Amino acid sequence: MSQEGKNLSRRDFLKTTGIATGTLVGGGIIGGLIGYNTNKKSKPSNNANNTTGHDEHSGIPARMFFMSQTDFQVLSNATERIFPKDDLGAGAIDLGVPYFIDRQLAGNYGSNSREYMKGPFAVGAPTQGYQSHLNRAEIFTQGIIALEKESKKRYKKGFSDLSEKQMDEVLTAFQKDEVKIPGASSAMFFGLLRSATLEGAYSDPMYGGNKNLEGWKMKGFPGHQMAYISEIEKDEFKKYEPKSLGSI
Amino acid sequence: MVKTLPKVDVVTVGVGWTGGIIAAECAKAGLKVVGLERGQKRGTSDYQQIHDEYRYAIRYDLMQDLSRETITFRNNRKMKALPMRQLGSFLLGEGLGGSGTHWNGQTFRFLPYDFQIKTMTEKKYGKNKLSTDYLIQDWGLTYDELEPYFDTFEKTTGISGDGKNKHGGKRSNPYPTPAMKTTPLLKKFEKASGKLGYSPYMMPSANLSEPYKNPDGEQINACQYCGFCERFGCEYGAKTSPEITVVPTATKTGNFEPRFHANVVEVVKKGNKVTGVKYIDTISGEEFIQPADVVVLTSYVMNNAKLLMVSNIGEMYDPTTGKGTLGRNYCYQILPGASGFFDEQYNTFMGAGALGMCFDDLNGDNFDHSDLKFIHGANVALTQTGTRPIGTNPILPDTPTWGAEFKKQSIENFTRSLGVGGQGASMPHKENYLSLDNVYKDSYGVPLLQMTYNFTDQDKALHKHISKKCGDILKEMGAKTVVVNSDLDQYNIVPYQSTHNTGGTVMSLTPEEGVVNNYLQHWDVDNLFVVGAGNFSNNSGYNPTGTVGALSYRCAEGIIKYSKKGGSLV
């Protein structure tokens, strides 16, 4: 970890978020558990304030979970900083990620319905994982309130009115758990936000993100293909037009 | 009001690989079997839209519903155990087929060394190789004694393999089907590891290389390499699983009834026998007693141990005194490895769960440990299981985990990074054990199982040694950057690691050393059998299912013997 001393180590980040990269093998992950620092060098993009993310023909401009347009805009801008539009292609907003998250928060994901949410609740060690009594929907709500509050405290502006650099500074403070959120931690909220952004960018488009399969196209993931049996022994790299589950 | 049902010969708790095998063998032998499965019925026709990473691999749709039941966890006895509120480190199964539905299909036989680990280690390295804190013991059954049962399991499942492993135990028969396709990636690993002096072979696979009809007449199809195995069911019926083999075999005898949404909460014991089990129909809410001549615990490691504990059967392990056997020898697996970053693009998204090339030169006692601070080792492999975009975001060290640079690298490296890794064996330690939680309860008011577990010095030394070797292979493969896994720290229940949990209900040669004898019959209660990876007194450097399958056939033989003459089988 060559970054400034106050940065968390990679391992600390893994402890608190469970994020791991590498290749799955057997029942396990092999390969490195790689990557944390906050040395942000992201290029500005033009669409951070375009919170609809959809043209007039897309048909999904409505929200299931967020009542306030302002809150939804904060969410949208935060996801765009995590997964920005660049010369590789669309960012979170153009991919429909904010709508993906909105729908997820309105359903089982938001209410942690398949997870153990019985008390008593206690603060655990990082190795013991999620111990908040709040569900994800509540954590997102509190997290967005806190993003707004922290922006006003630092810059006397709402989050959506900040420059990209300022947004990154606020998000970094959350990632490092420097901001207080009642009932949860800002690092936990940031971890959820980051994961949900990637999930929205790369899940099947039926969930509302990965619009026009742009996420898969950028990544070179073919999506739903029936078989690779006739290709897998060939040496050359094979490019596919991705397919969604709904295309069959 | 608890309703008592008509008595049957055999009742199994859970219908995955172990329950399915017990059901098939006992039903074929004419015994009436009921299988109580707390999840739902499912099969190949339910998997036609399975290519959904988000639903199945991220939100774990086929796995256990933790809102009903989970475990509690702490790293050591000084910590307060807290519930595992979300799935992470390991993925518990639920529903017909259990974890056998969403496994990868990597099907090994444990090494002869595993079964006689104490004797063989002491013979070669003396009595002090490991401190007395490590509770290694012989299993009470040798590899050679278990060989016929391995053979049966491989024939039932049609395993595809090349039989080229120089370090494995003796085989009575070749693999039923030839090895899977040797892809360019596997060839690359084969060449590099061969050059470094290792002996690579094709990973034995339950994703079959060709269509196969097993001895029970069940058809398994040929794998299409679609890249959706682990955490998914197979839409082709090409990944051998209980619901396409042993479950239909049991059903067609007319002697087997699987009962779904049946959550067993207690094994009912009277005197020195069990009389049946108590379960709740989770749909109707009704409670039942299912009486049976023989009760077989065939759920996962965790629930097998828990049911014995809540039913007060056997003596709980006490880490202070070292007395008691129930809950002892809980082991896991550690994951040494390295990542390699390449310039060229590879078809990493194509694959199958058990498509891999591996070697055992660094596994078991196949290399000299005289100057090393650990015993055992790991099967080292390169697998091509099919990468998917939410779960695979490879970035170099010191790269931000979000933002523009993260996006660029994770996209670039999606098809340009490969992992070489091992499944590191796990040795029992006196402080790693399962017990019962005294605070948290499941939906039915039954205490949760409590896990006390941390990585040991043995684990850390093994991990460091083998991770480095994995890095060497990637260098030889031509990676432009190699990142060796950082040293093991504390065990953390959050990131996914491995669903190879073992121990807690150990098989042993004497009642002082374990919970069941080598027919998986309970030492104290002769009409109760407990089978699964919980029977392992140490975990090996392999996937456990091959050995679990063999033990299940051994157990079925024991139950059939018992049903004829009764009494202890040893």
Side-chain angles (χ1 to χ4, degrees):
Chain A
M1 292 302 105
S2 57
Q3 298 304 310
E4 66 259 68
K6 61 180 178 179
N7 279 359
L8 298 177
S9 70
R10 266 154 58 192
R11 184 172 286 141
D12 287 337
F13 184 63
L14 291 164
K15 270 180 191 165
T16 53
T17 62
I19 292 162
T21 61
T23 312
L24 287 165
V25 63
I29 288 169
I30 62 171
L33 298 176
I34 301 166
Y36 173 94
N37 77 31
T38 55
N39 181 21
K40 300 285 293 113
K41 289 174 191 152
S42 51
K43 284 181 233 158
S45 67
N46 302 323
N47 62 342
N49 294 312
N50 168 15
T51 56
T52 68
H54 298 278
D55 61 43
E56 64 224 62
H57 307 296
S58 72
I60 50 159
R63 301 184 302 267
M64 288 182 186
F65 177 77
F66 285 95
M67 296 172 81
S68 148
Q69 171 65 20
T70 311
D71 291 350
F72 186 67
Q73 204 161 344
V74 171
L75 172 81
S76 302
N77 287 314
T79 61
E80 184 69 18
R81 295 313 304 144
I82 289 167
F83 199 83
K85 182 176 185 169
D86 58 12
D87 48 12
L88 291 167
I93 289 174
D94 287 346
L95 289 169
V97 167
Y99 287 97
F100 164 87
I101 294 175
D102 179 71
R103 290 175 176 196
Q104 289 300 311
L105 291 174
N108 288 348
Y109 169 87
S111 53
N112 299 41
S113 67
R114 282 168 51 81
E115 287 154 22
Y116 191 83
M117 293 299 282
K118 295 180 186 39
F121 291 89
V123 178
T127 57
Q128 293 174 299
Y130 194 106
Q131 294 298 337
S132 175
H133 63 282
L134 301 183
N135 63 28
R136 293 190 190 88
E138 290 164 328
I139 291 177
F140 266 84
T141 302
Q142 292 306 316
I144 283 166
I145 291 169
L147 278 175
E148 196 69 351
K149 201 170 147 190
E150 185 67 15
S151 305
K152 284 180 178 154
K153 188 177 129 195
R154 288 182 183 229
Y155 307 108
K156 305 207 166 34
K157 284 182 197 168
F159 183 81
S160 296
D161 294 325
L162 301 183
S163 70
E164 287 168 352
K165 189 168 170 286
Q166 289 168 330
M167 285 183 189
D168 289 353
E169 280 170 21
V170 171
L171 289 169
T172 300
F174 274 64
Q175 185 180 17
K176 291 182 183 173
D177 211 14
E178 291 168 356
V179 179
K180 293 272 170 283
I181 295 185
S185 78
S186 57
M188 181 196 273
F189 165 63
F190 182 83
L192 285 174
L193 179 67
R194 177 196 178 273
S195 301
T197 301
L198 295 180
E199 287 157 12
Y202 292 133
S203 54
D204 191 280
M206 71 174 153
Y207 293 101
N210 189 14
K211 205 179 163 214
N212 300 323
L213 305 167
E214 290 297 329
W216 288 352
K217 282 177 196 163
M218 262 188 288
K219 200 149 186 178
F221 179 65
H224 165 63
Q225 304 285 332
M226 293 303 287
Y228 296 118
I229 189 166
S230 54
E231 305 292 336
I232 196 163
E233 286 173 295
K234 293 178 183 164
D235 281 318
E236 60 273 20
F237 181 71
K238 173 103 178 163
K239 279 208 166 96
Y240 288 84
E241 190 60 34
K243 279 188 198 157
S244 65
L245 274 172
S247 71
I248 51 169
Chain B
M1 183 64 203
V2 184
K3 188 178 171 192
T4 300
L5 299 165
K7 187 169 155 183
V8 294
D9 296 322
V10 178
V11 64
T12 76
V13 179
V15 190
W17 271 126
T18 55
I21 288 170
I22 302 300
E25 294 306 294
C26 293
K28 283 196 286 182
L31 297 171
K32 293 284 179 192
V33 184
V34 163
L36 299 175
E37 169 54 54
R38 67 177 165 191
Q40 60 185 351
K41 187 177 180 176
R42 61 188 182 195
T44 306
S45 61
D46 297 313
Y47 309 140
Q48 298 311 303
Q49 295 207 343
I50 204 81
H51 290 181
D52 183 345
E53 182 188 13
Y54 184 61
R55 177 173 177 182
Y56 298 105
I58 306 296
R59 299 264 77 85
Y60 305 135
D61 205 62
L62 296 178
M63 317 303 177
Q64 183 170 315
D65 180 352
L66 295 192
S67 72
R68 293 174 187 268
E69 181 176 1
T70 184
I71 62 158
T72 66
F73 163 71
R74 58 184 179 174
N75 287 107
N76 58 60
R77 284 194 275 158
K78 287 181 196 134
M79 278 168 73
K80 184 185 165 99
L82 293 175
M84 175 177 81
R85 297 190 179 275
Q86 305 179 334
L87 287 167
S89 172
F90 45 85
L91 302 174
L92 305 167
E94 186 169 279
L96 185 66
S99 309
T101 296
H102 55 78
W103 69 319
N104 260 337
Q106 304 175 4
T107 313
F108 295 90
R109 299 173 171 200
F110 278 13
L111 295 160
Y113 175 66
D114 283 303
F115 299 98
Q116 293 171 284
I117 193 163
K118 186 173 169 71
T119 303
M120 290 171 81
T121 303
E122 288 184 355
K123 193 175 160 196
K124 190 160 169 192
Y125 305 108
K127 282 190 186 296
N128 301 322
K129 181 68 183 169
L130 287 185
S131 85
T132 52
D133 289 347
Y134 294 90
L135 308 176
I136 56 166
Q137 62 190 47
D138 293 353
W139 287 35
L141 200 62
T142 64
Y143 172 86
D144 289 338
E145 287 170 311
L146 203 56
E147 201 285 335
Y149 307 95
F150 276 120
D151 190 56
T152 304
F153 183 64
E154 287 173 0
K155 284 178 177 149
T156 298
T157 48
I159 301 304
S160 300
D162 63 9
K164 287 183 185 163
N165 183 12
K166 293 203 303 198
H167 297 289
K170 280 197 195 107
R171 302 178 55 87
S172 54
N173 284 295
Y175 285 104
T177 54
M180 298 189 79
K181 291 180 185 298
T182 312
T183 66
L185 281 177
L186 303 195
K187 282 181 185 156
K188 208 173 164 72
F189 174 85
E190 183 180 31
K191 197 174 156 196
S193 57
K195 206 168 165 195
L196 293 172
Y198 303 119
S199 309
Y201 65 97
M202 284 294 285
M203 184 172 272
S205 169
N207 327 127
L208 299 199
S209 59
E210 61 184 34
Y212 173 77
K213 186 172 270 194
N214 81 9
D216 294 316
E218 311 302 342
Q219 180 71 37
I220 307 160
N221 297 321
C223 175
Q224 300 301 302
Y225 301 86
C226 73
F228 285 81
C229 258
E230 182 175 42
R231 308 184 182 184
F232 304 89
C234 181
E235 75 272 32
Y236 291 104
K239 173 171 73 175
T240 309
S241 54
E243 61 269 44
I244 61 167
T245 54
V246 289
V247 171
T249 297
T251 305
K252 71 190 178 191
T253 64
N255 290 330
F256 175 58
E257 182 205 339
R259 214 172 278 159
F260 299 99
H261 308 292
N263 192 105
V264 174
V265 290
E266 187 188 343
V267 180
V268 185
K269 185 169 173 252
K270 218 174 194 175
N272 59 359
K273 299 269 184 201
V274 290
T275 57
V277 297
K278 184 176 167 187
Y279 74 90
I280 294 167
D281 180 321
T282 60
I283 303 298
S284 71
E286 294 167 288
E287 291 186 359
F288 297 97
I289 298 279
Q290 176 60 64
D293 286 330
V294 174
V295 173
V296 196
L297 302 187
T298 56
S299 63
Y300 197 62
V301 169
M302 311 295 166
N303 207 42
N304 278 0
K306 168 174 159 168
L307 280 173
L308 291 176
M309 291 175 188
V310 298
S311 309
N312 286 314
I313 300 172
E315 190 185 349
M316 296 277 284
Y317 171 66
D318 179 346
T320 309
T321 61
K323 285 196 179 133
T325 56
L326 179 56
R328 203 180 69 165
N329 288 45
Y330 172 75
C331 294
Y332 193 42
Q333 217 157 41
I334 55 168
L335 302 170
S339 304
F341 294 82
F342 294 79
D343 284 326
E344 314 85 78
Q345 277 185 291
Y346 299 102
N347 294 314
T348 52
F349 48 82
M350 302 179 182
L355 178 63
M357 183 74 76
C358 61
F359 61 78
D360 281 324
D361 305 77
L362 297 174
N363 202 359
D365 199 39
N366 301 331
F367 59 111
D368 185 35
H369 292 70
S370 299
D371 298 326
L372 299 171
K373 288 182 173 155
F374 63 93
I375 62 168
H376 217 306
N379 173 274
V380 172
L382 181 139
T383 57
Q384 191 174 350
T385 59
T387 52
R388 292 176 292 272
I390 302 172
T392 307
N393 290 288
I395 51 175
L396 290 164
D398 301 327
T399 306
T401 56
W402 53 283
E405 182 60 22
F406 167 80
K407 183 185 175 191
K408 187 167 164 253
Q409 274 202 32
S410 59
I411 287 173
E412 162 111 359
N413 294 324
F414 180 62
T415 49
R416 291 181 177 87
S417 70
L418 303 173
V420 168
Q423 300 189 56
S426 170
M427 296 302 116
H429 188 278
K430 70 180 179 64
E431 294 292 336
N432 289 337
Y433 64 101
L434 304 175
S435 56
L436 219 47
D437 196 271
N438 57 17
V439 177
Y440 294 94
K441 292 188 164 62
D442 67 19
S443 289
Y444 315 104
V446 182
L448 298 184
L449 186 78
Q450 182 178 91
M451 175 191 291
T452 306
Y453 180 75
N454 214 346
F455 294 132
T456 63
D457 291 343
Q458 141 86 28
D459 293 334
K460 290 172 187 172
L462 187 158
H463 182 270
K464 196 180 181 82
H465 183 81
I466 296 186
S467 290
K468 185 187 171 297
K469 307 276 186 192
C470 294
D472 295 344
I473 295 166
L474 281 161
K475 274 176 213 148
E476 186 64 36
M477 286 169 67
K480 65 175 179 181
T481 307
V482 173
V483 183
V484 174
N485 281 6
S486 50
D487 290 350
L488 269 194
D489 187 11
Q490 291 212 88
Y491 171 63
N492 179 353
I493 207 160
V494 180
Y496 183 73
Q497 289 150 74
S498 169
T499 308
H500 299 165
N501 317 72
T502 65
T505 55
V506 161
M507 172 176 83
S508 60
L509 200 57
T510 67
E512 290 72 37
E513 286 191 315
V515 171
V516 292
N517 66 30
N518 68 20
Y519 277 100
L520 300 317
Q521 180 185 34
H522 198 281
W523 280 114
D524 302 340
V525 184
D526 63 19
N527 66 333
L528 172 64
F529 291 75
V530 185
V531 61
N535 303 137
F536 303 177
S537 53
N538 60 273
N539 201 0
S540 186
Y542 289 125
N543 309 67
T545 305
T547 303
V548 168
L551 290 177
S552 303
Y553 278 103
R554 169 83 180 174
C555 180
E557 188 184 298
I559 295 164
I560 294 163
K561 272 189 188 176
Y562 177 85
S563 72
K564 287 177 184 153
K565 57 174 196 173
S568 171
L569 296 165
V570 296

